[in-house]
Amino acid sequence: MVPPVRFNPQAWLAEARALIGAAHVLSADRGDDLSACTRDWRNKFEGPALAVLRPADAGEVQSLVRLAARTGVAIVPQGGNTGMCGASVPTAGGPQAILQLGRLDRILEIDPGNNTATVEAGCILQTLQEQAAAAGRLFPLSLGAEGSCQIGGNIATNAGGVQVLRYGNMRDLVLGLEVVLPDGERLDLLRGLRKDNTGYDLKQLFIGAEGTLGIITAATVKLFPAPGAEVVAFAGMSSIGQAVRLLGAMRARLGERFTAFELMSGEAVELVRSHFPGTPAPLEGRWPWHVLMEATDGGSDEALREAMQAALMACLEDGCLEDVVLAGSLAQGQALWALRENITHAQQMDGGNIKHDISLPISRIPAFVEQMLPRLLQAFPGARPIVYGHLGDGNLHFNVSAPAGIAPAAWQRETDAVNQLIHDAVAEMRGSISAEHGIGQLKRHEMALYKTPAELEVMRRIKQALDPQGLMNPGKVL
Ligand code: FAD
Ligand code: MLT
Ligand code: ZN
């Protein structure tokens, strides 16, 4: 990226303000506090912003992108800024403007007949879930940040969450997109079709691209019939091998009704209980591993409960689990989910946390975990593994907290060494170093280590073809 020879920030800001209104172009020089936008959710990455731009619609996004392309200013698309890899904040070098999608928050259409919703990119995930429910439909993407993350951010990160087992990740849920390209042109792919084989499927390029190829301004997504019944269970077991057997047995018995299968180590549960006093222990004993399971159905709660209970009893007899509790009410089910979703917050409060987001063939996960835990402790005595995640999808957050008494900053300095140990083992088993959070700034150098030269070259050619000036979210992914 080459900054313009005589770049004049004041003139640039004046032009941006003329395009979308002074109130919607925030800048530090006039006293606006930009810190909530220039720093990422984990407080790991921070970069200076020439401005925070808040356009009202796709037309304003186009005008701003054209201004940026003409003047050599980089654009950092930002949704709810809940991403885990520092992809939504500026990097050092060259003038960069954050383009926030929050004002593009309209739900344009809910089409129950087609089971689709068309929404602007800045729509909060929870808002879409609620509006779909009001129309008797389900939008199934669900994750701990759903109260603040945006559909555009979910698409740009190909978000996963806790219902991928049944409904797939964001890539599986998107039918159409509208994108503003790095030269300001608007690409209209906003169709609600489940079948369309007319050449390359261009929308897939922008899903998971972390804003490096263009700005998503709207999307058409799949909806499903709203489930009438919901049952939540929480099980304890001694080994992760049992948890994997449990997954197979429950899916065999419940089929498509089985929607979530979330793993939590004993340490993860204890961490939540220590940071969120009052969190009840769901089971009497302490278990090395726990699984939170959910089944949903169009039928009655009673019938689903009976089916779940019968399946769990058979699993208890088969030894896939050793203790289990079935939530007796909606509130109990919500409390079990809170235990799971609060792990992220508990780790954030705990400080000194090296995060991983790996995926492996599910069948290989027990061997991976059983080999990796002792190797980790041998290499980093006292390290505290906090393992949890979407076991049903083969996706683990194999996180490692600082040994007691080690300051967070000192532990962060071990990041590369810890990552190498874990990610080399993942690569040996043909897994991925990022199952759902993406690459961003955090894993950019690591992606270069684990992808083949041919994969990287194709990615670079795509980037060059769409963004020859390198102005779209520079310093991320590639
Ligand atoms: P941001 O963080 O603002 O941006 C993320 C990336 O998308 C950046 O590269 C940004 O440039 C780009 N982007 C944003 N909007 C657009 C747009 N309109 N067009 C182009 N690019 C854009 N993630 C999961 O996958 N599964 C989970 O279970 C999960 N749980 C979480 C729980 C908590 C408590 C938190 C804090 C985060 C969690 N996340 C999870 C991570 C995060 O919420 C997701 O990555 C989410 O999809 C990011 O959405 P966002 O709107 O906050 O995007
Ligand atoms: C989760 O599964 O809770 C999220 O991906 C966030 C995290 O990794 O903590
Ligand atoms: Zn996750």
Side-chain angles (χ1 to χ4, degrees):
M1 179 182 48
V2 186
V5 182
R6 281 201 320 267
F7 179 68
N8 179 341
Q10 293 312 321
W12 197 93
L13 290 167
E15 248 193 274
R17 288 186 173 119
L19 289 172
I20 66 168
H24 305 300
V25 178
L26 314 184
S27 62
D29 67 308
R30 69 168 201 194
D32 295 320
D33 179 6
L34 308 185
S35 59
C37 310
T38 52
R39 193 179 309 134
D40 77 323
W41 190 86
R42 294 181 64 201
N43 286 322
K44 257 182 102 67
F45 297 97
E46 187 165 16
L50 167 66
V52 174
L53 310 169
R54 307 202 74 237
D57 55 34
E60 289 194 355
V61 174
Q62 285 183 282
S63 308
L64 290 168
V65 171
R66 285 196 181 112
L67 168 65
R70 177 163 53 78
T71 51
V73 169
I75 292 283
V76 181
Q78 189 176 85
N81 197 16
T82 67
M84 294 288 176
C85 302
S88 54
V89 295
T91 50
Q96 302 191 11
I98 295 172
L99 193 145
Q100 270 197 345
L101 279 299
R103 289 177 70 217
L104 279 77
D105 62 353
R106 287 157 287 236
I107 294 187
L108 302 173
E109 186 190 25
I110 289 196
D111 180 349
N114 196 38
N115 272 317
T116 50
T118 299
V119 296
E120 288 185 323
C123 178
I124 301 283
L125 170 56
Q126 193 173 324
T127 307
L128 176 56
Q129 293 168 342
E130 288 167 0
Q131 292 303 311
R137 296 292 182 273
L138 171 77
F139 181 62
L141 186 76
S142 173
L143 46 96
E146 63 199 21
S148 52
C149 65
Q150 300 176 3
I151 294 300
N154 300 148
I155 296 171
T157 56
N158 184 26
V162 294
Q163 303 218 67
V164 173
L165 183 65
R166 162 73 178 84
Y167 297 100
N169 51 22
M170 199 60 195
R171 193 180 293 285
D172 302 302
L173 299 173
V174 174
L175 293 176
L177 280 189
E178 179 186 73
V179 180
V180 172
L181 297 173
D183 62 2
E185 190 170 334
R186 197 186 315 189
L187 189 61
D188 180 1
L189 311 168
L190 210 53
R191 302 182 189 98
L193 305 176
R194 285 172 176 77
K195 298 184 92 171
D196 178 9
N197 277 353
T198 50
Y200 303 142
D201 190 353
L202 295 180
K203 66 178 180 294
Q204 296 297 346
L205 271 182
F206 303 94
I207 304 174
E210 299 180 50
T212 60
L213 299 179
I215 298 173
I216 297 159
T217 48
T220 298
V221 294
K222 290 182 193 168
L223 301 179
F224 297 83
E230 184 180 301
V231 180
V232 179
F234 190 89
M237 64 275 302
S238 306
S239 74
I240 200 158
Q242 288 169 290
V244 169
R245 283 204 291 127
L246 176 65
L247 171 67
M250 294 299 286
R251 289 189 91 175
R253 283 177 168 264
L254 293 173
E256 290 294 280
R257 290 174 294 176
F258 203 46
T259 47
F261 193 86
E262 294 289 312
L263 180 80
M264 280 167 271
S265 66
E267 291 82 4
V269 169
E270 285 315 311
L271 190 74
V272 173
R273 296 192 65 224
S274 69
H275 286 282
F276 292 85
T279 303
L283 302 173
E284 263 179 31
R286 286 186 172 206
W287 297 97
W289 298 100
H290 308 91
V291 169
L292 176 61
M293 290 165 270
E294 187 178 86
T296 61
D297 193 8
S300 76
D301 257 342
E302 219 168 288
L304 184 63
R305 217 179 148 70
E306 269 173 31
M308 183 89 152
Q309 210 154 12
L312 290 170
M313 286 311 114
C315 290
L316 191 62
E317 276 168 30
D318 283 355
C320 321
L321 59 87
E322 289 161 74
D323 195 5
V324 65
V325 63
L326 213 55
S329 64
L330 193 64
Q332 276 178 19
Q334 284 168 346
L336 291 172
W337 271 115
L339 178 59
R340 161 64 183 91
E341 308 237 294
N342 280 336
I343 301 174
T344 312
H345 300 286
Q347 281 218 279
Q348 187 80 347
M349 293 168 178
D350 208 45
N353 164 31
I354 300 175
K355 257 176 132 41
H356 298 103
D357 171 33
I358 60 167
S359 62
L360 289 161
I362 296 171
S363 51
R364 307 192 79 168
I365 284 187
F368 174 84
V369 174
E370 277 155 22
Q371 287 164 22
M372 191 45 64
L373 288 176
R375 283 179 63 190
L376 185 70
L377 294 178
Q378 195 181 16
F380 303 96
R384 292 175 297 136
I386 303 291
V387 179
Y388 62 97
H390 320 286
L391 181 58
D393 318 325
N395 172 195
L396 290 187
H397 300 304
F398 198 93
N399 298 350
V400 191
S401 287
I406 300 287
W411 184 237
Q412 288 306 322
R413 284 196 286 278
E414 301 289 349
T415 301
D416 285 347
V418 173
N419 285 353
Q420 190 182 350
L421 181 73
I422 293 171
H423 289 162
D424 279 358
V426 166
E428 270 165 36
M429 290 192 174
R430 295 193 67 77
S432 166
I433 63 164
S434 176
E436 59 175 11
H437 293 162
I439 298 297
Q441 301 183 56
L442 183 69
K443 298 187 203 127
R444 195 165 79 119
H445 61 292
E446 283 198 88
M447 188 180 80
L449 301 175
Y450 296 110
K451 286 229 182 251
T452 63
E455 279 177 294
L456 291 168
E457 180 54 23
V458 173
M459 286 172 75
R460 278 191 212 104
R461 283 189 215 167
I462 291 170
K463 172 75 175 171
Q464 176 66 22
L466 288 178
D467 183 21
Q469 292 194 83
L471 290 177
M472 204 47 79
N473 214 2
K476 321 291 164 48
V477 185
L478 284 169

